[in-house]
Structure formats: C-alpha cells, structure tokens
Amino acid sequence: MPMPKDIGVIDLMLGIPVSEDNKEMYEFLKPLLMDEQSRKMFSMPAQYMFKDIPQSGGEEDKVAWVIGEMDKHGVERAMTGISSGNTDRIEAVRRFPERFMLSYECNPNRGMDEVRDIRRLKRDHGIVAVTCFPAGINPQVPINDKRLYPIYATCVEEGLPFFCTTGVSGPRVPSMCQKTELIEEVVWFFPELKFVMRHGAEPWEDLAVKLMLKYPNLYYSTSAFAPKHYPKSIIDFANKRGSDKVLYAGYFPMGLSLERIFAELENVPFRDEVWPKFLRDNALKLFGLDDD
C-alpha cells in the first residue's frame, strides 16, 4: 500500500558530515583495507555499491543542512552516532535535542574503559543506543566474542538497545565475524537485551527472519539499503508476523539521499497497518519513548 505522508518519521541511521567529502568518517577503517582502489580512489569504502553519494553543496553549517533535508522528507527525528575518536555530533544534539538522538559506536577491544565510557555517555549526554560494526573494528570482533559480553551486559543494565551490522560487509574487509548465525548465542544468553540488526543480513536474511520469529528481543533495521533492494523475506515478515520487528533506518548522507530513499519507499509493498510501525512506532517502543 502507498506510504502515508502524515507520519513523523524516525530515522535510525543518519550522519552529520563535518566536511564536504566525508572522508574523515572512514579513517578508522583504513588499516583494514588492502586494495588500492579502496585506499586511494574511493571517497567512502563501499563506493562501488552507491551512486550519487549526497553532497552538502558547500554549506558551511552542516547540521542546518541536514535538518533542512530532514524537513523536506518528513523526518521528525534521527539517531546519529559518535565514537571514542569522533564526538562532533554531540554539539548537533545540543543544538537540536528534539531532532537528534545520540548513539555510541563501541570498540570492544578497549575492555573496561569502553564499559565506563558507555555509562558516562548515558549519564552525561543521554545516548539512547550502542552500535557496533564488527568487521570494521581493528582487530575485528565477532558478534558472539567474549570481548563484547561486558558491553552487552552494560546495555542491559543501562536500558540501551544494541545495533549491530550483520551480513557481508560493503567495505572490502573480511565479513565472517558478522555472520548472522552468531547473533543467536547473544540473544539467547541476554534475553533482556534489545538487539537490532543493521545493514541487511545478506545473504543470511532468511535466517534473520527465523531468528526473529524465535527470539522476542531480536529486531531488524533497514540501514544502508535503498528501499528497492529491501530483501523480499523481510518485507513478507513485516507484513505478517513481524510487523513489530522491522524498523526504518536510512543511510544519509553516507551513501543514499533522503530524496532517493523516500521516492523508492513509495513502491515498497507494506500493508497499511505496517507503515506507522515501520516508520515510527517500533522505534518509539524500542526506546521506551512516549509519543505525545
């Protein structure tokens, strides 16, 4: 059914650039890249997968530019991330607390320092989630690795959902640390942890559906996928038993424009009753927010 226009969309993956080419976003990944094209020619490490990567057109105030794009497409609020090496977006949240929610990209290799930072960021800056890109950490950390267990426990104690990339990674780095089957051990052992899959789970999307049917604390977000490429099994799941499990997340401005995303969403065959949950309600429920 057509996407409704009167829903204040909550986007669970949106970036705020600090420069025109966004290259600084990917410094963390450089030590893992081996091929010359990724190292020297790409402006982002999965550039071969994306056309017409958004540019801010020389706008000096990047935050205001992002807000303008959100307004054009009915995005009421968005989750944007910081890491231990990049905290620029804290200022964006201070300027527009009603428009942005802050997440933290964790590095399990930091041990207890990372646990303390998560607790401090929740206390001082109100982070709403912890995120992880297992294949992008150096050294890489599999989803079920013991280095992540203190972070999972911390997320449970602090009431923070955990968003994790799963499936074959876009950047040309090894991906087996992100195999979707590794998630089962985590959601089994931590039944209080809200675990949200990111970036498609391909080629294991059918397994992702099976696991979501089995475990009530497992969810799926559509980050980094143009809507015309949403896996059919995920759409079918959302339209049937998984209407409360699939959440909208974009990939602006890292690889996709909001213009493209929302144009293509028009053709996604979600049922009428699924759209409000997908675009907004499931995110509010995940974070325990009141929809006043």
Side-chain angles (χ1 to χ4, degrees):
M1 298 297 177
M3 180 183 67
K5 304 293 187 181
D6 57 348
I7 294 175
V9 176
I10 297 178
D11 189 335
L12 295 180
M13 189 171 191
L14 180 143
I16 301 172
V18 297
S19 66
E20 187 59 38
D21 59 17
N22 286 334
K23 284 186 176 180
E24 75 288 335
M25 286 186 182
Y26 307 106
E27 287 297 315
F28 73 95
L29 201 55
K30 281 186 176 180
L32 293 169
L33 298 172
M34 301 297 288
D35 65 291
E36 185 174 3
Q37 190 178 39
S38 294
R39 285 177 169 178
K40 297 182 179 179
M41 297 174 64
F42 286 170
S43 60
M44 62 92 78
Q47 188 172 329
Y48 70 94
M49 298 179 66
F50 296 96
K51 297 178 181 179
D52 302 320
I53 295 173
Q55 301 292 317
S56 61
E59 293 286 343
E60 185 172 337
D61 189 337
K62 307 295 186 186
V63 177
W65 173 70
V66 169
I67 290 284
E69 292 298 305
M70 292 167 63
D71 288 344
K72 287 179 189 176
H73 301 283
V75 178
E76 178 182 303
R77 209 167 182 195
M79 189 169 78
T80 190
I82 60 171
S83 66
S84 59
N86 182 4
T87 58
D88 292 334
R89 293 169 189 166
I90 290 176
E91 181 59 30
V93 177
R94 286 189 183 132
R95 287 176 60 188
F96 298 97
E98 75 286 358
R99 304 303 300 275
F100 296 116
M101 302 178 290
L102 203 60
S103 62
Y104 176 67
E105 180 74 14
C106 72
N107 181 352
N109 291 308
R110 296 182 67 233
M112 283 304 297
D113 285 343
E114 196 72 335
V115 169
R116 295 184 187 101
D117 277 351
I118 291 169
R119 296 190 188 278
R120 176 182 59 81
L121 289 165
K122 170 74 182 299
R123 181 181 66 248
D124 295 347
H125 299 291
I127 61 169
V128 299
V130 173
T131 64
C132 188
F133 176 18
I137 301 170
N138 188 21
Q140 293 182 330
V141 179
I143 291 170
N144 64 343
D145 192 278
K146 61 187 177 183
R147 285 167 289 181
L148 270 164
Y149 268 56
I151 291 174
Y152 293 143
T154 302
C155 286
V156 171
E157 292 174 343
E158 296 290 339
L160 296 170
F162 188 85
F163 287 70
C164 188
T165 305
T166 182
V168 171
S169 66
R172 291 169 179 159
V173 298
S175 301
M176 293 305 99
C177 59
Q178 297 186 166
K179 291 183 76 172
T180 302
E181 66 189 54
L182 302 179
I183 294 171
E184 183 171 27
E185 177 186 319
V186 177
V187 294
W188 161 74
F189 194 73
F190 293 98
E192 299 168 76
L193 176 68
K194 295 178 179 178
F195 191 108
V196 185
M197 294 177 278
R198 273 183 159 179
H199 286 33
E202 287 187 336
W204 305 294
E205 64 271 24
D206 290 342
L207 176 59
V209 168
K210 291 288 187 183
L211 292 176
M212 282 190 283
L213 282 169
K214 184 175 179 179
Y215 294 97
N217 55 326
L218 182 60
Y219 304 82
Y220 182 102
S221 66
T222 58
S223 60
F225 267 55
K228 70 178 182 180
H229 296 305
Y230 287 174
K232 183 179 183 300
S233 59
I234 296 297
I235 295 172
D236 290 345
F237 176 64
N239 280 333
K240 296 175 184 175
R241 297 178 63 182
S243 63
D244 296 330
K245 291 291 200 98
V246 181
L247 305 94
Y248 167 68
Y251 200 48
F252 169 78
M254 294 78 77
L256 297 168
S257 68
L258 291 178
E259 181 178 10
R260 177 182 176 185
I261 290 170
F262 283 92
E264 291 187 9
L265 276 174
E266 295 281 354
N267 298 314
V268 175
F270 284 138
R271 293 178 176 173
D272 285 347
E273 65 272 19
V274 173
W275 280 112
K277 293 182 176 184
F278 171 67
L279 293 173
R280 179 183 181 85
D281 295 346
N282 289 346
L284 291 174
K285 186 176 179 180
L286 182 77
F287 295 123
L289 300 174
D290 292 326
D291 194 2
D292 298 326

